[in-house]
Amino acid sequence: MKLWKKICLGLIGVVVLLQIPFIYNRWQTGNLAEKISSLKSQKAKSTNQEYKDYRGIIHVHTSLGGHSTGNFDELLVGAEKNQLDFVVMTEHVSEFYDTSALTLRGFYKDTLFVGGSETSTKSDDRFLILDGFPKLTVVNKLDTKEFLYEIKSRNRLAFVTYPSRFKSWDEKIDGIEVFSLHTNSKGMNPFTFLPDALWSYRAYPGLTLARHFSRPEKSLKKFDELSKTRRLTLFAGSDAHSNLGFHLFGDDANNKFINLKFDRYEMVFRLVQTHILLPQNENFNKDSLLKALKNGNTFIGFDVLSDTSGFWFSAQNQDETKIIGEEILLEDGEINLKANAPQVSRFLLFKNGEKVFESGKTTEINFKVKEKGAYRIEVYLDSLGSPFDKMPWIISNPIYVR
Ligand SMILES: [Zn+2]
């Protein structure tokens, strides 16, 4: 055999051998899908009767604000198929028209859409503003301090997006996007993710991505540092653009011979959701949603791993019970912190970012605290195997013991 043929055969052999770990990964992802499917029948009933859980997505773009090829039809299908209660739109701003007014707003079938905006300040700090307003393109010419003054005077919420690039931490922000799908996807190792995607994405799009997620260490650290002294909301952002993929030989009527889109809203909305808790007797509308987001009556659920609705975290002293996001007085006694999850899982309790308790496998924990601080919970579904023993299934906002 000629030398070049030998080299070619050798190279083909190497490429084939290199695929083995990714074929194995596909088999593992299939196993993961089966485990998740079996968890559905094991879901524990919620112990909380007084509050209702509403699930939704924050940080979504369409072609209206640029950098996206998504349209309203695709967005509405994504919201309906995932049975979302709300979608917080965050269109990029335009100098010529108010994108927050032109995007989806109000109820479409059972999903409430809120017209927010994404913008940067003169200080190059990036925010999601809920909800948007026409003068935002004037206000965003200010530095962050003045910008936030204008936002607050209009009674709007200012949530930090891209926290890794944010600088003005001393200013009055309302919350931090501690988990961003966009940032997490960018942080994936392309040498392991791309071959994995090749073998597994078509059959298991959500789980192929989820297996490459990692705990947002830096943003959580920053959140814990700030929430020691002030109330803040943590949440997950999808930063859904529906613009990754390629198509060939199309016509103007959007018919494409080859049309592959990897980040369709329908798939992206399945991965991670922000849940809010409202009293059973409170109406669900834009005002109550924004109030719950401001107060931090929310938690992050990686629902692609298993439905997180029913998660519950409360604190009780002799006089009253408070929920996620609220403050409770230590008085002279002790506080009982109670958390429930809808699956057998492992709970971690953090006080001002320091782990103070770790449970075994359970659906409920009770923990007495005698010290002031911001207490928040992370829940892990160890039964799903690596990496989900290190990547949380649920991240709660804190309860503040004062
Ligand atoms: Zn964005």
Side-chain angles (χ1 to χ4, degrees), residues 213-281:
F213 286 169
S214 50
R215 184 179 183 270
E217 306 286 346
K218 282 184 186 159
S219 329
L220 281 173
K221 197 169 170 216
K222 181 48 93 177
F223 179 84
D224 288 331
E225 184 190 314
L226 297 177
S227 60
K228 274 182 205 173
T229 52
R230 48 178 156 149
R231 284 172 74 180
L232 277 179
T233 299
L234 62 74
F235 67 98
S238 295
D239 208 353
H241 283 80
S242 186
N243 64 356
L244 294 176
F246 60 92
H247 30 254
L248 282 174
F249 309 123
D251 61 23
D252 290 345
N254 214 20
N255 298 308
K256 306 278 181 0
F257 177 64
I258 293 176
N259 190 14
L260 287 177
K261 215 183 227 190
F262 294 115
D263 62 341
R264 288 185 185 283
Y265 296 121
E266 183 186 332
M267 196 281 295
V268 167
F269 291 173
R270 207 186 309 155
L271 301 174
V272 55
Q273 301 175 353
T274 295
H275 293 241
I276 68 155
L277 296 169
L278 285 184
Q280 289 281 5
N281 57 6

Side-chain angles (χ1 to χ4, degrees), residues 330 333-335 337 351-352 356 368-375 400-402:
L330 189 58
E334 56 185 14
I335 303 269
L337 297 179
K351 178 198 160 205
N352 297 337
V356 291
K368 301 240 182 295
V369 296
K370 293 174 179 168
E371 290 172 11
K372 294 176 181 177
Y375 291 86
Y400 304 87
V401 176
R402 303 295 197 207

Side-chain angles (χ1 to χ4, degrees), residues 59 61 92 118 162 239 241:
H59 198 161
H61 300 278
H92 298 289
E118 177 174 355
Y162 294 97
D239 208 353
H241 283 80

